[in-house]
Amino acid sequence: MLFNSLAFLVFVLVILVLLSFWQRLKLSPIPLLLIASYVFYGWWNAWYLFLIVGSTLLDYTISILISRIQSKNSRRLLCFFSIATNLSLLIFFKYSVWLTEFISRDLNSWLVEHIILPVGISFYTFQTMSYTIDVYRKEIEPERNILKFALYVTYFPQLIAGPIERAINFLPQVSTVSKIHLRQSSYWLILTGYFRKIVLADNLAIYVDESWAYDSLNIFSTLLGILAFSFQIYFDFSGYSRIARGISGLFGIDLSLNFNYPYSARSFRDFWARWHITLSTWFRDYIYIPLGGSRSGNTKRNILLVFIISGIWHGANVTFVLWGLLHGLMLLLERRIKINYFTFLIILFLSWVPFRAPDLSAMSVYLSGLFSFNLDYYSTTISLGPLRVLFTILIIGLSPIYLRIERRENRYLFLILPILIFYFSAINETFIYFQF
Amino acid sequence: MKRSYIFSFSVRSSFVAILVIIATSFIIDKILISKLVTIQKLNRVYSDRYTNIILGSSRAQGGFVLDDECNYSTYNYSLPGTANKLWLGVLPDLLTDSLIQRIIICVDDTDSLILHSKTDGDYSYYWKLDKNSLLYDDLHKTTREKIRRWPFYLFGEGYNIIWKYLRTRLEFSSLNIRGSRIELGELSLLQFESSLHDFDSERIASDLYLDNAAEDRLELIDNLLSNSSDTVVWINLPNFLGKPNLVYERCQDQFSGLCQFYTVENFAGKRELFFDAKHFSFDGAVKLTEEFSWLFCD
């Protein structure tokens, strides 16, 4: 069930009510949250519950074995086995269609027909891999309570699209949580999260989707489409993260910050310290640093490799690799020359074009609109009409102001945002990062 | 931590927001929704007393340049979307009222004769129609699930309401007169060819399948036409590709002898007469109006 659906809101309400009764009986909330998480995940596709339960049992067992075995080689082997299994699942469900496209058409057709990407697999496999590696490195003790561990893997507020939680942050909180917390800060996160997603992101999506479907863009509509998507993806993903953190806060569990106003960044390095923070720190801690980081003499290789892998993580498409490569190259370039803020922003926004493009051909057609100076009415309004264009410009133009106001809980926004959500929601039934 | 935090200003503010939403829903309903062109036309087609009325979709809406000098007794109630399905719902009502009219219907070639699909048009505010009308009944069946219950029916509708309200007041690319909306702009060659491609790839059926509900509707209209003093004129509006109109042909078979039927020739293939593959340019609308000036000039 989607976060922006009535069913989900009812679901959360039911959980809160049940938890409030639960806490009166002085029972641990973990079993209830675990059942709720399985219900949530099973809502997408009940068969994939076997997948996530299997993955949970495997990593639970392996982590306990790792902690008990003294032999370093055996421990390493077990760790690799866990990583290999998780990666195999990820590769099979996410990349096998793409890979077999070049190998066997029959196999490819069969896979296209029968494989459905399990929702959230990119996130929970990374999460469990981080846990196993941390246990192997002896940074944390393995969790002995199977229910707590299972909750760590399947916790529904962050299961589908992160944040990618570290066990060291999550598990201690689960151990101490005992009741619901009706905090204003949680309500603030939920309210602003929904506003970002169903008002800002989904209204921008109307323009973005049409611009990608339209066949005669001009420089104005292309630029507006690029800007609109840059803000759409930010509001969409950060909106989801806020809702996740807000709902989790009601249960007394604080999830990690995933976005820290990334468009306030002044450089690509700064940007990646603010955008999808849990993913970038995952790559840093489990790929970049083990490769030697910036101390091995292979800094350039390591940075490019991390960002190419990051691109591949986002999707089985050359365009994502191109996006990752572009960011990696910009990070390297920044080390050599100073890039001014304006140039940084232009490249940053342009880099979202390959991210959004379904393929390279569509990307080049889209970008060719930048060189069309035919400013007629229809190419400028792309059949959406002038009001939609103005509305899109308004959202983009007011976004920096809104983000500044939103940094602190604001009593006027508690009044205004529900009204705007009610009247200006444009329900788009996907969250962009759900597809990853 | 104080238990009173649940009554903090955030919850109070949000409660006030709910009250504001309810209040504004009433106001918007009175000031804006009732003035929307769709609602006005759907109601006025019953209450107005024009001698000649035009019913159809956006093609008919943009096909007739009516002026006050000659056409004071004519009004164009056409609406964009699959509106001929609307009018096949309202036609029985018009045939049974006391007013004697010339009803000019421009049917499009559509998959089903009457409103079936939940995606048919955007007539979300149908509940403002006369509940005894057949049109209300038709719309109720298809749009009922799209309508949220009060006070949620305006959820997410803010943009649409503003757009629809402003469109008729600030339209720069069209001429709005006596219910007609004539396109004044011009598509580029690429855009025009794209519209041709889209139109060309639409369903081409060799036969028109009608379900029981549609057959019953035609039968009802047939019976009413036999006893009505109204004159019903069916017009087969031309398109750039000259594609046939199976709905028009079916109506011609059903109502021959009871109605007048006109097919417009010499339009197909003439770029200057079309805005896109189906809709008329200003020149096309002028030419079409001249063809039927005898209908409108009393």
Side-chain angles (χ1 to χ4, degrees):
Chain A
M1 75 196 83
L2 293 166
F3 272 28
N4 54 342
S5 67
L6 188 61
F8 179 74
L9 293 174
V10 170
F11 172 76
V12 171
L13 210 60
V14 166
I15 303 300
L16 285 171
V17 168
L18 286 175
L19 267 178
S20 66
F21 284 117
W22 210 261
Q23 76 191 34
R24 285 182 194 188
L25 298 172
K26 298 195 188 323
L27 296 170
S28 165
I30 295 171
L32 181 62
L33 286 174
L34 183 61
I35 292 169
S37 299
Y38 283 135
V39 167
F40 176 81
Y41 195 68
W43 203 279
W44 298 95
N45 187 324
W47 289 107
Y48 285 136
L49 275 175
F50 291 105
L51 201 66
I52 201 168
V53 168
S55 180
T56 303
L57 291 172
L58 179 75
D59 289 318
Y60 172 78
T61 309
I62 286 178
S63 64
I64 298 221
L65 285 173
I66 288 175
S67 71
R68 286 183 181 168
I69 290 173
Q70 299 301 318
S71 160
K72 195 173 181 185
N73 285 338
S74 300
R75 293 172 68 247
R76 186 182 296 149
L77 201 62
L78 283 167
C79 185
F80 279 144
F81 179 70
S82 168
I83 294 170
T85 311
N86 280 297
L87 282 179
S88 301
L89 280 175
L90 187 61
I91 290 168
F92 176 73
F93 283 103
K94 195 166 176 177
Y95 303 104
S96 55
V97 171
W98 186 42
L99 293 170
T100 55
E101 207 176 307
F102 311 104
I103 299 170
S104 163
R105 281 198 182 276
D106 290 336
L107 181 59
N108 180 260
S109 303
W110 187 89
L111 288 169
V112 165
E113 201 178 318
H114 292 91
I115 298 292
I116 302 171
L117 182 67
V119 182
I121 192 169
S122 302
F123 292 89
Y124 72 72
T125 51
F126 268 43
Q127 189 156 299
T128 53
M129 281 195 289
S130 78
Y131 170 78
T132 312
I133 295 169
D134 287 348
V135 169
Y136 167 74
R137 288 175 177 174
K138 298 186 181 177
E139 288 176 8
I140 55 169
E141 285 296 312
E143 178 55 56
R144 308 279 171 184
N145 185 323
I146 181 72
L147 294 182
K148 272 191 209 167
F149 179 72
L151 185 62
Y152 167 67
V153 177
T154 53
Y155 187 49
F156 78 87
Q158 50 88 227
L159 174 61
I160 302 301
I164 301 173
E165 280 300 314
R166 301 292 178 92
I168 199 165
N169 175 51
F170 187 86
L171 288 171
Q173 293 189 75
V174 170
S175 300
T176 56
V177 73
S178 59
K179 58 178 183 170
I180 59 174
H181 292 68
L182 294 179
R183 297 184 291 199
Q184 182 167 289
S185 56
S186 296
Y187 176 48
W188 174 250
L189 285 171
I190 294 169
L191 185 65
T192 52
Y194 276 110
F195 180 73
R196 285 186 181 204
K197 165 57 183 167
I198 66 179
V199 176
L200 300 179
D202 287 353
N203 272 297
L204 289 172
I206 294 173
Y207 188 91
V208 170
D209 292 346
E210 185 61 30
S211 73
W212 278 91
Y214 204 71
D215 54 11
S216 55
L217 298 174
N218 58 24
I219 183 171
F220 172 82
S221 45
T222 308
L223 281 174
L224 187 58
I226 292 171
L227 277 174
F229 182 70
S230 303
F231 282 92
Q232 179 203 345
I233 188 167
Y234 169 50
F235 288 133
D236 191 284
F237 196 10
S238 64
Y240 164 83
S241 289
R242 281 186 161 243
I243 296 168
R245 287 174 60 219
I247 289 171
S248 185
L250 294 175
F251 302 139
I253 298 172
D254 290 325
L255 296 178
S256 303
L257 182 68
N258 219 8
F259 291 88
N260 187 17
Y261 300 95
Y263 289 150
S264 305
R266 289 290 186 264
S267 66
F268 281 91
R269 187 187 168 105
D270 190 15
F271 175 77
W272 280 103
R274 295 166 177 270
W275 178 276
H276 204 173
I277 298 168
T278 58
L279 181 69
S280 54
T281 51
W282 195 99
F283 278 118
R284 180 196 64 199
D285 294 341
Y286 300 109
I287 298 181
Y288 184 67
I289 290 175
L291 284 175
S294 54
R295 296 180 186 185
S296 64
N298 288 316
T299 309
K300 287 179 205 151
R301 178 203 70 178
N302 295 340
I303 288 176
L304 286 176
L305 201 58
V306 163
F307 276 91
I308 288 171
I309 295 172
S310 173
I312 293 171
W313 178 90
H314 281 86
N317 199 324
V318 166
T319 54
F320 289 118
V321 177
L322 187 60
W323 168 80
L325 189 62
L326 183 60
H327 276 265
L329 287 171
M330 291 315 301
L331 272 166
L332 291 178
L333 191 65
E334 268 180 359
R335 284 167 170 252
R336 291 201 168 267
I337 60 169
K338 184 164 171 45
I339 301 173
N340 71 50
Y341 179 57
F342 189 61
T343 310
F344 155 70
L345 272 185
I346 290 175
I347 298 172
L348 179 65
F349 290 150
L350 280 173
S351 75
W352 288 121
V353 176
F355 192 93
R356 174 61 175 80
D359 51 59
L360 290 175
S361 168
M363 183 187 80
S364 53
V365 167
Y366 194 80
L367 288 173
S368 69
L370 289 171
F371 304 100
S372 166
F373 297 95
N374 174 21
L375 298 176
D376 66 86
Y377 175 80
Y378 297 101
S379 294
T380 303
T381 61
I382 58 170
S383 79
L384 287 175
L387 185 63
R388 176 56 68 179
V389 173
L390 285 172
F391 196 50
T392 304
I393 294 172
L394 190 70
I395 292 175
I396 295 168
L398 292 179
S399 289
I401 300 169
Y402 166 73
L403 289 170
R404 190 166 295 171
I405 298 170
E406 190 217 55
R407 279 181 189 248
R408 275 192 285 180
E409 291 176 25
N410 182 301
R411 67 174 63 221
Y412 299 108
L413 287 187
F414 277 118
L415 172 63
I416 294 167
L417 290 187
I419 298 172
L420 292 176
I421 289 171
F422 182 83
Y423 281 115
F424 290 101
S425 296
I427 304 288
N428 183 333
E429 293 194 343
T430 54
F431 281 87
I432 294 176
Y433 266 74
F434 276 23
Q435 63 183 304
F436 306 139
Chain B
M1 190 176 291
K2 289 183 193 174
R3 291 189 68 79
S4 60
Y5 57 65
I6 59 172
F7 300 110
S8 66
F9 71 79
S10 62
V11 176
R12 286 199 299 270
S13 299
S14 296
F15 181 69
V16 172
I18 292 171
L19 293 177
V20 168
I21 288 167
I22 293 172
T24 51
S25 293
F26 279 114
I27 296 169
I28 289 171
D29 191 61
K30 286 272 179 274
I31 294 176
L32 290 177
I33 292 180
S34 55
K35 292 192 168 48
L36 291 174
V37 169
T38 313
I39 298 300
Q40 291 207 328
K41 280 191 175 179
L42 289 178
N43 279 299
R44 286 178 54 188
V45 73
Y46 288 106
S47 61
D48 284 351
R49 306 192 76 75
Y50 287 98
T51 312
N52 306 305
I53 63 173
I54 303 171
L55 308 177
S57 66
S58 55
R59 303 176 63 209
Q61 190 183 26
F64 299 99
V65 186
L66 305 173
D67 58 49
D68 286 330
E69 185 184 325
C70 182
N71 313 136
Y72 66 92
S73 59
T74 307
Y75 200 86
N76 191 343
Y77 291 96
S78 301
L79 286 168
T82 49
N84 57 272
K85 299 186 192 183
L86 277 180
W87 305 128
L88 289 169
V90 84
L91 183 59
D93 293 326
L94 294 176
L95 291 173
T96 52
D97 66 14
S98 58
L99 191 64
I100 299 174
Q101 294 170 301
R102 181 184 285 137
I103 305 166
I104 301 152
I105 306 183
C106 308
V107 283
D108 287 354
D109 187 28
T110 53
D111 279 344
S112 58
L113 212 60
I114 58 174
L115 290 166
H116 276 323
S117 165
K118 295 187 182 68
T119 59
D120 278 330
D122 174 18
Y123 308 108
S124 304
Y125 311 115
Y126 76 96
W127 72 82
K128 294 194 169 295
L129 296 175
D130 177 8
K131 289 176 176 50
N132 295 319
S133 65
L134 190 59
L135 180 62
Y136 177 89
D137 193 51
D138 280 351
L139 284 168
H140 184 69
K141 289 188 180 78
T142 56
T143 59
R144 177 176 46 200
E145 287 172 82
K146 287 199 291 189
I147 307 295
R148 299 179 185 90
R149 295 288 173 258
W150 186 92
F152 305 108
Y153 63 88
L154 288 179
F155 179 75
E157 293 291 315
Y159 176 84
N160 283 336
I161 293 167
I162 296 171
W163 167 237
K164 287 172 187 172
Y165 183 74
L166 288 177
R167 197 177 184 209
T168 51
R169 281 160 174 76
L170 298 176
E171 189 73 68
F172 298 121
S173 68
S174 65
L175 170 68
N176 294 286
I177 184 165
R178 304 189 74 78
S180 292
R181 182 178 170 270
I182 317 297
E183 188 60 57
L184 298 176
E186 190 178 334
L187 294 179
S188 68
L189 185 59
L190 190 64
Q191 290 164 331
F192 188 81
E193 283 172 356
S194 175
S195 79
L196 286 184
H197 173 75
D198 291 343
F199 183 48
D200 203 16
S201 52
E202 281 177 14
R203 177 190 69 88
I204 301 175
S206 58
D207 198 7
L208 180 68
Y209 169 74
L210 297 181
D211 58 17
N212 290 337
E215 290 286 357
D216 290 346
R217 180 61 53 84
L218 288 179
E219 207 49 49
L220 172 65
I221 295 172
D222 199 324
N223 291 334
L224 291 173
L225 281 168
S226 305
N227 299 308
S228 174
S229 305
D230 296 318
T231 304
V232 178
V233 179
W234 301 81
I235 296 180
N236 181 14
L237 292 178
N239 57 76
F240 184 83
L241 294 175
K243 284 172 76 170
N245 185 334
L246 297 180
V247 174
Y248 173 83
E249 288 170 13
R250 179 68 175 83
C251 292
Q252 195 170 25
D253 290 340
Q254 180 83 32
F255 308 126
S256 61
L258 295 170
C259 305
Q260 299 168 24
F261 291 88
Y262 297 100
T263 296
V264 182
E265 307 286 354
N266 302 318
F267 267 69
K270 293 180 182 169
R271 171 77 171 91
E272 68 276 13
L273 300 179
F274 288 93
F275 170 73
D276 62 23
K278 292 192 286 191
H279 299 89
F280 302 101
S281 64
F282 178 75
D283 290 342
V286 167
K287 187 168 162 45
L288 191 69
T289 311
E290 282 168 6
E291 293 249 353
F292 293 101
S293 59
W294 57 273
L295 274 178
F296 309 135
C297 284
D298 287 333

